[in-house]
Amino acid sequence: MQPSRAELARTLVSSTNPATVVAGDLPAVAGVRHGADDDGRVLLLCHRGDPLATRPHDVCVQIADEPPLPFSPAWGKVRVSGRATPLGGNAARAAADSIAVTLPDPDLLDVGHDTVIVEVVPSRVTLLPRRAEPDEAHQPSAPSASDGPDGPVVDGSWIGRHDELAIDLADYRSADPDPVAPMERPFLVDLVDHHGPQLYPFLRRQLVASGVDLPADCLPCPLRLDRYGLLVSVPDGDETACYRLCFTPPLDGQQDLLDRLHSVLFHHRCDHR
């Protein structure tokens, strides 16, 4: 009940976070705009004069996770190594359509002239976590229907993983990017800024119902959001414990998230009607 490594990699590759591209003896290029196609090929948006746009190269594309809140953990960095080839004709136009899904950049209108799309076909994909990843949880507890998302799963343990983790290419190609990733940052900011009185008691109820012993004045705080659930933090003495509250079943899109949390955030309005 949490994203697999392949799903994390595909989510980062499909994000709008800028990439860093290293190609042989060429200087590393940071801040490269990119997208991805349905098979996970990385599509780099380059200018015609860029070295990458002139001929094929063996490259390593690095894309780092950007935490949605200042106190949120980062999931790490994906590295996609492979052959980079400038595209032209129909292939370039199809690639531009793929990029526009997540990055509607005006330069896509200039593909074939001053803008060149460079396709990177992955031959190796690795994930380098910046911090420990939460272990998969195994303690389900079902709240009442009025509590919103049913079947939360809580986990307070963390696994320290510091080495680069190789991802099977077949798993990478078959994985889907997280459909709620594009709204993670604005959604969490909105929750914290505008829905605290409804959100914090709800999170507390879920943790207590799942057996977590919380002081009376302790309010959990949301850290990360994905299609599998919410990662929340709880003060634990001088440290902070992290728990995952899972959506059962996983979310199938952004509207599904809004529908499930509507009763949590707005049930007080319904009570007065």
Side-chain angles (χ1 to χ4, degrees):
M1 295 299 295
Q2 66 182 24
S4 67
R5 297 171 188 171
E7 288 174 307
L8 283 174
R10 285 296 300 270
T11 299
L12 289 174
V13 164
S14 301
S15 72
T16 57
N17 302 344
T20 297
V21 182
V22 180
D25 57 355
L26 296 176
V29 181
V32 179
R33 296 163 295 170
H34 65 90
D37 66 9
D38 291 340
D39 289 329
R41 296 184 181 91
V42 184
L43 306 172
L44 305 175
L45 200 57
C46 302
H47 294 294
R48 184 161 296 281
D50 295 342
L52 286 176
T54 59
R55 61 182 177 84
H57 291 82
D58 290 324
V59 303
C60 177
V61 181
Q62 304 177 22
I63 305 167
D65 177 41
E66 296 181 358
L69 302 172
F71 42 81
S72 300
W75 292 148
K77 176 189 299 182
V78 65
R79 291 175 176 166
V80 178
S81 300
R83 190 69 168 171
T85 305
L87 299 178
N90 291 335
R93 287 189 285 273
D97 290 340
S98 296
I99 295 175
V101 172
T102 54
L103 186 72
D105 194 292
D107 283 349
L108 292 173
L109 299 174
D110 200 34
V111 168
H113 299 282
D114 291 334
T115 301
V116 176
I117 295 179
V118 177
E119 177 190 71
V120 181
V121 179
S123 59
R124 176 176 168 79
V125 180
T126 58
L127 189 68
L128 182 63
R130 289 183 184 168
R131 295 189 183 182
E133 297 176 358
D135 192 9
E136 187 170 351
H138 300 284
Q139 303 176 36
S141 173
S144 64
S146 62
D147 272 344
D150 59 334
V153 180
V154 180
D155 178 53
S157 62
W158 289 77
I159 301 177
R161 294 174 179 165
H162 306 290
D163 298 328
E164 202 167 6
L165 306 171
I167 298 172
D168 182 82
L169 285 178
D171 291 341
Y172 171 79
R173 294 190 189 99
S174 62
D176 291 322
D178 193 315
V180 302
M183 69 181 301
E184 181 189 23
R185 184 190 305 272
F187 187 79
L188 289 181
V189 169
D190 184 65
L191 284 180
V192 172
D193 288 348
H194 301 113
H195 299 288
Q198 296 79 41
L199 175 69
Y200 297 134
F202 165 74
L203 297 178
R204 178 183 173 82
R205 287 196 301 272
Q206 304 310 302
L207 292 172
V208 171
S210 299
V212 179
D213 186 17
L214 297 178
D217 60 346
C218 180
L219 293 177
C221 181
L223 298 176
R224 300 295 309 240
L225 169 72
D226 55 59
R227 70 185 302 258
Y228 294 98
L230 275 167
L231 187 70
V232 301
S233 68
V234 175
D236 185 13
D238 295 332
E239 300 182 351
T240 300
C242 291
Y243 299 87
R244 174 174 280 273
L245 295 173
C246 291
F247 299 117
T248 307
L251 301 169
D252 60 21
Q254 298 181 16
Q255 187 59 50
D256 189 15
L257 171 65
L258 299 177
D259 291 342
R260 293 203 211 181
L261 288 184
H262 187 273
S263 62
V264 174
L265 301 180
F266 302 107
H267 69 87
H268 62 293
R269 296 184 185 178
C270 296
D271 292 342
H272 293 291
R273 292 178 181 176

